[in-house]
Amino acid sequence: MSNSAKTSASTLCCVLAVAFTGLVMTTGCGTATESPAVASSSVPNIDASQYRLEEEPEGAVGVIAARESAEDGTPIVLVGRVGGTARPWVDGRAAFTMLDASMSVVAEGEDSDEEGELCTGDCCALERQSCTTLVKVVDSQGKLVPMDSRELLGLKESDMVVVQGIAKKDKTGNFVMLAKGVFIRK
């Protein structure tokens, strides 16, 4: 990969990380609502089967462990739930937030007496950030697939998924998963 391509990829990661953080910050308060319908895609010729794994990859680690130990550019397999925010989807793109499997998120105002439960309010924003990551499904050129992940992969909120790909970390500790394939546990 050329330096300009690396710079572009790095810039895209930073923009998505900032957008993700903004999404987390702006959706923190209020009541949970139904997810809006899947954004329709205008890209009809994407072979979704290349991104759906038929078998679960081995060696999966949780999001919290990966945030602490994964190194930038290394292959990794992550396990967790689709979620971690009031709205885990990036409309029209194959990207979603993933929450460590040991954690759960409840709507702000709901009781969160269980260990590992966080609310969607500002009071839990930092803790939620430490146990979530943005998953971006990328093509063979490393570009984000321009189809909504619900449509591309058939994902639903709270699905337990195992994602195979490359860890992307910047100097400030932002962690993004560049996924080559996603397995949905049934």
Side-chain angles (χ1 to χ4, degrees), residues 61-75:
V61 297
V63 175
I64 295 170
R67 281 186 155 280
E68 294 172 0
S69 63
E71 294 184 25
D72 185 46
T74 59

Side-chain angles (χ1 to χ4, degrees), residues 6 14 20 25 49-50 73 79-80 82 92 138 141-142 144 162 164:
K6 286 181 181 177
C14 289
F20 171 69
M25 298 302 283
S49 67
Q50 65 184 312
V79 62
V82 174
V138 295
Q141 282 81 45
L144 181 61
V162 180
Q164 187 170 36

Side-chain angles (χ1 to χ4, degrees), residues 64-128:
I64 295 170
R67 281 186 155 280
E68 294 172 0
S69 63
E71 294 184 25
D72 185 46
T74 59
I76 189 167
V77 177
L78 278 182
V79 62
R81 292 194 180 279
V82 174
T85 67
R87 222 173 111 49
W89 314 109
V90 177
D91 291 336
R93 299 288 182 254
F96 58 92
T97 57
M98 184 173 172
L99 176 69
D100 191 273
S102 68
M103 306 297 287
S104 63
V105 174
V106 298
E108 185 175 12
E110 287 186 26
D111 288 334
S112 59
D113 297 335
E114 298 289 325
E115 186 174 329
E117 272 189 350
L118 304 170
C119 78
T120 57
D122 290 343
C123 61
C124 296
L126 287 177
E127 196 171 353
R128 275 195 322 272

